[in-house]
Amino acid sequence: MSWFGGSYGDYDFNMFSASHFTMLAILMMLVGCLYIFKERLKLFQLRKVEVGTAVFLLLLEAVYHVWMVVNENWQISHAIPLELCSISLFLAVILLISKKKIVYEILLFTGLLGASQALFTPYLNYDFPHFRFFHFFMTHLLIFCIPLYFTWVKGYRPSIYSIGKTMLFLNILMPFAMIVNWLTGGNYLYLSHKPESASLLDLLGPYPWYIISLELLAFSLSIMIWLLLRKREGNLPVEKPFRRRA
């Protein structure tokens, strides 16, 4: 079971390799299908699919933790679900089961922004066909697509206040993550240092200033997402002029 082992000598992942481009192509295909077939999907009862997807995400994450334990890689400094995409995964599960609008509002921004960063610049050691490769891309693909499914198929839409809720959520989370980083020597939410691999953070200045730049960037990109996915008013009927009766 070398595909489940801890050594990545035979599975060394390279960014923008054939396997990476394949997963990006799958992402584009999934997003395109969701948008093109959104009206048809509305005709189906998809509740079992939604709950099944939530269970699948939980099982996949549980197996990932088993993999870390088996390979003696589970450490509190990096294994607890305090990364943005780990939090988004559990938000996705909650949304699929509860269908709560406030969960959608936060996941829309954390999922699209966090998962897109992870998918385009993966912080990953294991290439196809290792288990970790499948875990990484399957979870991030679903984290990216689930809020789009709720937008295009279920009819959820963000408001301008959704951005404020998301920024409040992140800023409440940040001090807690900083404390955990200090206690464990971890780097949750990349609040201690930048990732070792190439990432968007490389363009945002040195530590700790990139944290402020990242927050400003997240706010700006959230505005763009809201502008793209907000509810648009249809063409209002033209009101006929009032005529006084003779």
Side-chain angles (χ1 to χ4, degrees):
M1 294 179 62
S2 60
W3 55 271
F4 199 73
S7 174
Y8 55 86
D10 297 330
Y11 299 94
D12 195 15
F13 178 81
N14 292 304
M15 196 180 302
F16 305 127
S17 60
S19 59
H20 186 196
F21 276 121
T22 299
M23 301 313 296
L24 293 178
I26 291 174
L27 171 66
M28 297 298 107
M29 182 187 67
L30 289 173
V31 172
C33 288
L34 274 176
Y35 185 77
I36 293 169
F37 299 110
K38 60 182 183 294
E39 297 301 329
R40 292 187 182 182
L41 289 170
K42 292 176 183 178
L43 303 176
F44 295 93
Q45 295 293 331
L46 297 173
R47 187 59 185 153
K48 291 182 179 179
V49 176
E50 293 165 3
V51 174
T53 302
V55 172
F56 173 75
L57 277 172
L58 289 175
L59 288 175
L60 192 59
E61 190 68 5
V63 174
Y64 172 52
H65 282 265
V66 170
W67 172 79
M68 286 191 287
V69 171
V70 168
N71 292 284
E72 300 180 348
N73 192 33
W74 199 102
Q75 296 179 11
I76 195 170
S77 61
H78 68 260
I80 60 177
L82 260 182
E83 299 291 0
L84 185 61
C85 287
S86 298
I87 294 166
S88 295
L89 183 149
F90 287 102
L91 288 175
V93 170
I94 294 170
L95 177 60
L96 286 165
I97 294 175
S98 71
K99 299 188 285 186
K100 294 290 187 181
K101 176 70 180 296
I102 190 170
V103 181
Y104 160 82
E105 291 177 295
I106 296 173
L107 177 64
L108 180 68
F109 301 108
T110 63
L112 294 186
L113 295 178
S116 60
Q117 155 76 5
L119 288 166
F120 283 95
T121 58
Y123 186 41
L124 181 65
N125 292 324
Y126 299 89
D127 206 343
F128 177 88
H130 196 275
F131 160 76
R132 176 66 176 129
F133 175 88
F134 285 107
H135 167 266
F136 181 91
F137 281 105
M138 291 176 75
T139 53
H140 285 91
L141 286 171
L142 287 171
I143 289 169
F144 191 93
C145 290
I146 286 169
L148 293 179
Y149 163 78
F150 272 83
T151 301
W152 292 330
V153 178
K154 306 296 287 185
Y156 290 49
R157 293 288 174 171
S159 69
I160 189 65
Y161 301 106
S162 303
I163 300 173
K165 294 174 186 178
T166 303
M167 299 307 295
L168 178 63
F169 173 79
L170 292 175
N171 280 279
I172 291 174
L173 184 64
M174 281 175 60
F176 180 70
M178 287 179 174
I179 293 172
V180 174
N181 288 339
W182 178 69
L183 291 174
T184 66
N187 189 29
Y188 292 108
L189 300 179
Y190 299 120
L191 294 175
S192 297
H193 57 80
K194 297 179 184 180
E196 296 177 2
S197 61
S199 72
L200 179 63
L201 300 186
D202 294 332
L203 305 176
L204 300 181
Y207 177 87
W209 306 111
Y210 74 83
I211 298 173
I212 299 174
S213 300
L214 183 61
E215 187 156 6
L216 293 173
L217 180 63
F219 179 76
S220 301
L221 293 175
S222 296
I223 291 287
M224 292 178 61
I225 292 173
W226 169 71
L227 288 172
L228 287 171
L229 300 179
R230 74 190 191 281
K231 184 175 182 179
R232 293 174 173 83
E233 296 293 336
N235 294 327
L236 296 176
V238 178
E239 185 177 352
K240 295 182 179 180
F242 175 75
R243 295 182 180 178
R244 296 183 63 183
R245 301 177 67 179

